[in-house]
């Protein structure tokens, strides 16, 4: 078979064959030997950057280290300076893979990976998708993603889509008329899997539900759906699996790193321990025991062009008590550290709690397609929603009763029915937003 995807990586200078061989060797390391592997890789990457990266030397303040937990935690704000000031010696913007984060945490920045590191990222992705019989060289992807709207950016993405065997549905307009067209594509194309932003695929799932359609009835070649970039709630997963007719796999990743966690066939959210070291830290940047929540902090073990060492990604999560260094399991991803609601009582609550409580009521009748919650003052919130009919006073009462019970009473809400919700430039939907 002509391996177009592998060939496109190779022609771009990414040594994918070597990366896959190296990745296979990492997979073969035993549970008993894994702590040594991790310690060696952690020390190697820190020592490399202390020796070759002036930006990281300056951050650490010395050229050696004794204790891992004393190394500084790198934040996104630390990285908001010109890329050339952050690159290691021997690398330039022309010799590395350069990209930009989406800024969903409010702090976008340009980042780099050396070509070997980017290749091993692809080896990691190829391996995990392979759990579900997906082969990037032959499997045809239905892609629900944003796309640049400028001419060059648009053409570039379309070419990448062609080389990667995928058909992209732009997600900035997902009205029923557009989704009618999406459904037609599924009737006429032999897609193997779906991949894309959670909120967009859920919206498509609700469209199918309203028409009592099971997608595999019109596209029987479909095997699996991978959702990414936004929270997947359990009831949405149930709805999708019913109306897509295939398993739904939850992915957690970051463009500047790799896949961070990927649901395995045993339904565990398995953390990538091959190319990353994932820590959960408390407010003093000290590790918490398995089972306790804290900040998700990640080290990229292979990226020599740019340091991502103890990098605070901006999320709050919990590693399962049954985790090991070789096979950590993400028990729960609670949300972004920046998406915290501050309440009049002084209580702090993850913003997604509002979203979750509201969701349990607002979507019961099937009229509400999607919504977002926005905090405008300490005691005031706005809910923007897309619905075929206005919310009833009974629904509003139920929402406010539930929020008083789960969070605190005395909060004020305004409800705005919209034709469509505003997404980020990349097409993501920010479910909770604090304006404070």
């Amino acid at each position: 078979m002509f391996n177009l995807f592998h060939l496109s990586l190779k022609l771009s200078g990414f040594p994918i064959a070597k990366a896959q061989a190296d990745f296979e060797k990492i997979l073969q390391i035993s549970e008993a030997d894994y702590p040594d592997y991790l310690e060696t890789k952690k020390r190697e990457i820190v020592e490399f950057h202390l020796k070759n990266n002036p930006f990281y030397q300056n951050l650490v303040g010395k050229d050696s280290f004794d204790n891992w937990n004393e190394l500084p935690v790198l934040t996104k704000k630390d990285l908001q300076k010109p890329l050339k000031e952050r690159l290691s010696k021997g690398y330039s913007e022309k010799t590395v893979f350069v990209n930009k984060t989406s800024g969903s945490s409010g702090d976008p920045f340009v980042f780099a990976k050396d070509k070997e590191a980017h290749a091993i990222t692809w080896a990691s992705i190829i391996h995990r998708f392979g759990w579900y019989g997906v082969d990037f060289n032959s499997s045809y992807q239905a892609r629900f993603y944003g796309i640049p709207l400028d001419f060059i950016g648009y053409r570039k993405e379309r070419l990448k889509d062609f080389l990667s065997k995928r058909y992209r549905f732009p997600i900035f307009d997902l009205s029923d008329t557009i989704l009618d067209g999406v459904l037609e594509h599924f009737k006429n194309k032999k897609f193997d899997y779906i991949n894309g932003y959670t909120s967009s695929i859920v919206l498509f799932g609700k469209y199918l539900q309203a028409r009592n359609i099971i997608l595999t009835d019109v596209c029987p070649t479909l095997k699996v759906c991978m959702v990414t970039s936004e929270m997947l709630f359990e009831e949405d997963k149930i709805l999708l699996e019913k109306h897509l007719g295939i398993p739904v796999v939850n992915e957690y990743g970051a463009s500047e790193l790799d896949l961070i966690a990927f649901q395995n066939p045993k339904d565990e959210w398995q953390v990538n321990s091959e190319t990353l070291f994932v820590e959960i830290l408390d407010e003093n940047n000290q590790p918490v025991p398995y089972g306790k929540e804290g900040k998700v902090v990640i080290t990229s073990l292979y990226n020599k062009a740019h340091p991502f060492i103890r990098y605070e990604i901006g999320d709050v999560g919990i590693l399962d008590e049954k985790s090991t260094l070789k096979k950590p399991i993400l028990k729960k991803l609670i949300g972004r550290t920046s998406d915290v609601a501050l309440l009049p009582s002084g209580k702090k609550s993850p913003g997604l709690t509002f979203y979750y409580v509201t969701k349990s009521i607002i979507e019961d009748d099937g009229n509400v397609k999607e919504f977002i919650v926005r905090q405008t003052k300490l005691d005031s919130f706005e809910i923007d929603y897309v619905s075929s009919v206005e919310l009833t006073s009974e629904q509003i009462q139920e929402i406010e009763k539930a929020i008083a019970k789960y969070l605190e009473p005395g909060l004020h809400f305004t409800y705005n029915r919209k034709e469509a919700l505003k997404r980020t430039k990349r097409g993501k939907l920010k479910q909770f937003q604090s304006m404070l």
Side-chain angles (χ1 to χ4, degrees):
M1 186 191 295
F2 183 53
N3 291 349
L4 196 56
F5 179 73
H6 274 71
L7 183 65
S8 68
L9 286 174
K10 198 174 166 185
L11 292 175
S12 300
F14 303 119
I16 187 64
K18 182 182 184 302
Q20 284 186 284
D22 291 344
F23 191 82
E24 273 306 312
K25 285 178 191 163
I26 301 167
L27 292 174
Q28 299 311 315
I29 300 168
S30 69
E31 189 82 57
D33 292 337
Y34 221 78
D36 287 344
Y37 159 73
L38 270 179
E39 281 309 307
T40 302
K41 294 312 295 181
K42 282 158 62 182
R43 180 161 287 279
E44 275 177 10
I45 200 70
V46 174
E47 286 177 350
F48 178 88
H49 285 297
L50 284 175
K51 189 178 174 185
N52 297 288
N53 192 290
F55 161 75
Y56 192 65
Q57 289 164 3
N58 188 44
L59 198 74
V60 175
K62 51 186 182 176
D63 58 8
S64 64
F65 80 107
D66 302 312
N67 184 344
W68 178 264
N69 292 331
E70 286 172 7
L71 287 170
V73 169
L74 192 63
T75 67
K76 297 192 179 192
K77 284 195 163 55
D78 291 326
L79 302 173
Q80 286 174 319
K81 51 179 67 182
L83 180 61
K84 63 181 179 201
E85 292 177 23
R86 293 180 273 126
L87 287 176
S88 300
K89 289 173 194 166
Y91 294 96
S92 73
E93 290 178 51
K94 287 181 178 172
T95 63
V96 295
F97 169 77
V98 177
N99 207 342
K100 189 178 182 181
T101 67
S102 66
S104 53
S105 62
D107 298 312
F109 61 91
V110 175
F111 67 89
K113 290 183 192 176
D114 60 80
K115 295 204 168 177
E116 291 75 15
H118 192 55
I120 208 162
T121 292
W122 271 113
S124 152
I125 295 167
I126 288 164
H127 170 72
R128 284 169 172 79
F129 274 62
W131 289 343
Y132 296 92
V134 171
D135 179 338
F136 285 124
N137 287 304
S138 58
S139 301
Y140 193 22
Q141 179 191 138
R143 190 172 182 80
F144 286 78
Y145 262 68
I147 191 165
L149 298 177
D150 63 284
F151 181 79
I152 293 172
Y154 182 86
R155 291 287 153 214
K156 202 172 167 184
E157 286 304 311
R158 285 294 189 197
L159 176 63
K160 275 161 63 177
D161 288 342
F162 170 73
L163 294 173
S164 305
K165 272 196 73 77
R166 58 198 189 203
Y167 184 87
R168 186 184 303 237
F169 300 109
I171 55 176
F172 300 109
D173 177 1
L174 289 172
S175 58
D176 283 356
T177 313
I178 297 292
L179 291 175
D180 287 342
V182 170
L183 183 60
E184 281 305 308
H185 280 287
F186 277 96
K187 287 177 181 174
N188 298 316
K189 291 182 169 67
K190 292 183 176 179
F191 289 118
D192 293 290
Y193 68 112
I194 297 169
N195 188 14
Y197 294 158
T198 309
S199 64
S200 304
I201 296 171
V202 167
L203 205 53
F204 184 48
K206 288 178 181 174
Y207 163 91
L208 297 170
Q209 181 187 38
R211 284 150 187 78
N212 203 21
I213 294 169
I214 307 293
L215 194 59
T216 45
D217 289 346
V218 300
C219 185
T221 50
L222 278 174
K223 294 190 196 82
V224 67
C225 169
M226 281 83 173
V227 296
T228 189
S229 289
E230 299 153 336
M231 292 287 267
L232 173 67
F233 294 97
E234 190 55 36
E235 60 269 36
D236 286 336
K237 185 177 179 180
I238 292 164
L239 176 139
L240 285 178
E241 292 196 329
K242 182 179 177 185
H243 285 281
L244 298 180
I246 49 178
V248 173
V249 174
N250 206 354
E251 174 189 303
Y252 169 41
S255 55
E256 63 270 38
L257 297 165
D258 196 333
L259 283 182
I260 299 166
F262 199 74
Q263 187 185 314
N264 68 23
K266 291 181 183 170
D267 211 21
E268 301 164 317
W269 219 359
Q270 189 171 330
V271 173
N272 169 4
S273 64
E274 291 86 18
T275 74
L276 304 176
F277 173 58
V278 177
E279 301 175 84
I280 306 291
L281 305 184
D282 64 19
E283 287 180 3
N284 300 313
N285 293 332
Q286 294 306 302
V288 301
Y290 291 148
K292 297 282 183 195
E293 74 173 65
K295 300 184 293 188
V296 180
V297 172
I298 302 178
T299 298
S300 179
L301 298 171
Y302 286 88
N303 191 353
K304 291 182 173 175
H306 186 294
F308 283 107
I309 295 166
R310 305 198 92 202
Y311 164 60
E312 187 177 332
I313 194 165
D315 291 331
V316 178
I318 302 171
L319 285 177
D320 200 287
E321 292 85 345
K322 65 182 180 213
S323 296
T324 65
L325 285 174
K326 183 173 170 68
K327 191 183 173 185
I329 303 294
L330 188 62
K331 186 176 189 174
K332 198 174 180 187
L333 192 61
I334 294 158
R336 304 207 75 88
T337 48
S338 56
D339 294 341
V340 172
L342 305 172
L343 305 179
S345 65
K347 183 178 174 182
K348 289 181 181 179
S349 182
L352 276 165
T353 312
F354 279 85
Y355 182 83
Y356 196 76
V357 171
T358 307
K359 185 179 176 64
S360 62
I361 297 153
I362 210 170
E363 294 185 335
D364 272 355
D365 62 359
N367 283 321
V368 177
K369 293 179 180 177
E370 53 183 3
F371 69 96
I372 55 173
V373 179
R374 191 168 50 252
Q375 183 171 21
T376 52
K377 295 179 191 164
L378 211 53
D379 65 348
S380 302
F381 297 81
E382 288 188 4
I383 295 177
D384 293 350
Y385 67 97
V386 177
S387 176
S388 46
V389 293
E390 292 270 357
L391 286 175
T392 63
S393 54
E394 287 83 1
Q395 280 176 307
I396 287 170
Q397 235 175 337
E398 283 297 310
I399 290 167
E400 293 179 6
K401 204 160 75 180
I403 283 169
K405 179 183 170 186
Y406 286 100
L407 292 141
E408 66 183 56
L411 303 174
H412 305 291
F413 289 84
T414 311
Y415 301 85
N416 311 308
R417 186 171 160 220
K418 303 273 187 184
E419 285 291 314
L421 295 181
K422 193 178 175 187
R423 286 174 147 77
T424 67
K425 282 183 181 176
R426 293 205 178 181
K428 292 185 189 179
L429 188 68
K430 202 162 165 40
Q431 286 138 335
F432 177 84
Q433 193 178 357
S434 174
M435 314 295 279
L436 300 186

